[in-house]
Amino acid sequence: MPPTDATNGQLPRSAFRVPRSPDALLKVEGLAKRYGRGCDRCYELTGPEHGTNECPNCGTLVACAEIGFALAPGQTLGIVGESGSGKSTVLACLYGDTAPAAGRAYLRSFEDGRRDIFDIAPGERRTLRNFQMGIVYQHPHKGLNLRISAGGNVAERLMATEWRRVADIRERAGSLLGRMEVPPSRMDDLPAFFSGGMQQRVQIAKALANGPSLLLLDELTTGLDVSVQAGVLDLIREIQAASGIAMIIVSHDLGVIRLLAERTIVMKDGRIAEAGLTDQILEDPQHPYTQLLVSSANV
Amino acid sequence: MVIDQQRDPQIPRSAFRAPRLSALAGAPEAYNYAFLDEVSKREIRRALLKAVAIPGYQVPFGAREMPIARGWGSGGLQVTLATLGPGDTLKVIDQGTDAGVNAVNIRRLVERTAPGVATTYSTAEATIIQSRHRFPEESLRADQIMVLQVPLPEPLRMVEPRESVTRQLHAEADYTRVWVHLYEDVITNGEISRASGYPVMVNGRYIMSPSPIPRWDIDKLHQSASLTLLGAGREKRIYAVPPHTNVVPLDFEDYPFRVEDFSGKRCARCGATDTYLDEIIVNGGGRLYACSDTAHCDERVSAERETRNAE
């Protein structure tokens, strides 16, 4: 277990406090992930105050630790930080791509938020993923099977939830892809032959297929050219407005965060360096790292 | 080098004749009963018991080196040898016929090493039927055991190459990828195009490859009175469908499973219209159809002859 009182002069205590909002859609407490054999001192010897996320005692990589936050329904949370700061690990743990070393998370739409989603059987976990969550990865090949058709990729989500009529599946997949501005004529083409922006649109369609309550976006626009980025971001804003779905957006691009996120977490060396309203963080950064980030981003 | 026997009378003709395999194999008494040693048979029987207890689940077993090549029915043969005993009657079918070279060899091996076991062509007389690619046309009885030879036991291999992953998918009953595969098949070919080894759901739990039997035979597995054992020697897996178990082919509501269509065709020998037919291309490009199950066809032909004689 990570020590909960590991504060020092630099860190605001609020970074470790779990917001107590009874109506939160998602609550995460004390989430940690380590790569390596680990020792008792891993958590106290790493973090922004030490300037590293590698334990000097045992060499274990502390990808993230002491991560706590709450997300209201329909709200969008941004996670910013430099490469290797643990942003994507938080998403990977929440989506179940990797098992956390410690921590609890409660999703209100899963058994009324009474059961820790990190502590359930793999089959239940998969059901949870299929029905309640959607994810869009930075690299389309992680989220899509590029050797099956775009429609087939969306259909995978539907068939995971017991859709067994080809006509219905095609209608639903076609309308989702249409909303994402993927032309219906390309529904049966392989995404391997799509442009990067279109592949991301297919990923978003797939993520939204089962009407999830939580959408996880991992470096959604990184690697896309600027005009395509704008199109994809517009799409996300439309989804926000239309469906009221809650989102967590991981990005190192403060522009994306400013555009989409209401609240923001700044991560550094696997910890939360600063958390709060996006405007507050961008206009009046408190943590030295956030100050550096904001001044160098020029947004 | 080719030696011309005609020009060299010094070399006796017998030198050119291949020695009989039976002479090379040694006396039958040198082998344990039914070829396999008792410890191996016990291991296979344990795997069989587990397979029957978990219908459709692939039980790993240590496949032995057999006197036939892997991929030629060594798995089915091991299951047969571990199952039969004195008093049993064995029938071996290769693609529907008892006279195929593989069927003949397997039958001979059993005749030579398992005294007290009779062999037959007749489905009704057999207590154990080992088969490759076909079920007999007659329905089997509760006292009969069907043994199928399996080349590729893993139905998920077409969607996932890693064994570690397919095992996990089976454990969690996560069969979405198979459904996506079938969906892709429908949108590219207009129907589910799988001709043999059609994936089936066994007892509502495991997706199973029924071995490369045609679609025609899938229904014979469903709620069958007999026990079906499946052995894959090269892949080292044994699985089973116990009697009276649900075996349901995977399909979509609007693209239902259907069997081969032989309407308007009949067997050229026995005239049957209700059997699985082989297509034979004859001289001049014409097509001829004949029963794939030759023993069933023979019985019909001789029954017809008897009625004609009686008249």
Side-chain angles (χ1 to χ4, degrees), chain B residues 141-211:
Chain B
R141 301 183 310 264
D143 61 331
Q144 293 178 305
I145 296 175
M146 187 73 196
V147 178
L148 285 167
Q149 303 170 196
V150 185
L152 296 168
E154 182 50 74
L156 304 181
R157 192 64 69 225
M158 60 188 174
V159 291
E160 174 54 59
R162 288 163 297 179
E163 176 70 17
S164 57
V165 177
T166 54
R167 284 198 198 189
Q168 192 176 351
L169 293 176
H170 276 299
E172 297 177 13
D174 179 6
Y175 294 130
T176 309
R177 291 196 219 178
V178 179
W179 286 104
V180 173
H181 184 80
L182 298 178
Y183 168 87
E184 291 286 300
D185 203 1
V186 167
I187 62 161
T188 40
N189 301 315
E191 64 173 333
I192 299 173
S193 62
R194 194 73 181 267
S196 63
Y198 196 97
V200 291
M201 172 62 82
V202 179
N203 200 28
R205 175 60 182 84
Y206 285 100
I207 286 185
M208 182 190 93
S209 164
S211 87

Side-chain angles (χ1 to χ4, degrees), chain B residues 36-37 39-40 43-44 61-66 70 74 78 233:
Chain B
L36 289 171
D37 63 281
V39 179
S40 298
E43 193 222 339
I44 294 164
F61 83 111
R64 268 52 179 184
E65 207 56 63
M66 297 305 287
R70 286 181 171 172
S74 60
Q78 288 174 78

Side-chain angles (χ1 to χ4, degrees), chain B residues 5-76:
Chain B
Q5 294 175 57
Q6 303 294 319
R7 288 208 196 141
D8 198 347
Q10 259 80 11
I11 302 170
R13 285 191 73 84
S14 62
F16 293 93
R17 218 175 286 137
R20 287 192 66 83
L21 279 174
S22 52
L24 292 175
E29 303 82 60
Y31 292 98
N32 190 35
Y33 185 84
F35 188 78
L36 289 171
D37 63 281
E38 292 306 315
V39 179
S40 298
K41 279 194 273 190
R42 185 158 67 176
E43 193 222 339
I44 294 164
R45 286 171 192 151
R46 279 182 172 165
L48 287 169
L49 287 175
K50 183 168 179 179
V52 171
I54 317 171
Y57 171 73
Q58 299 166 49
V59 184
F61 83 111
R64 268 52 179 184
E65 207 56 63
M66 297 305 287
I68 54 174
R70 286 181 171 172
W72 287 70
S74 60

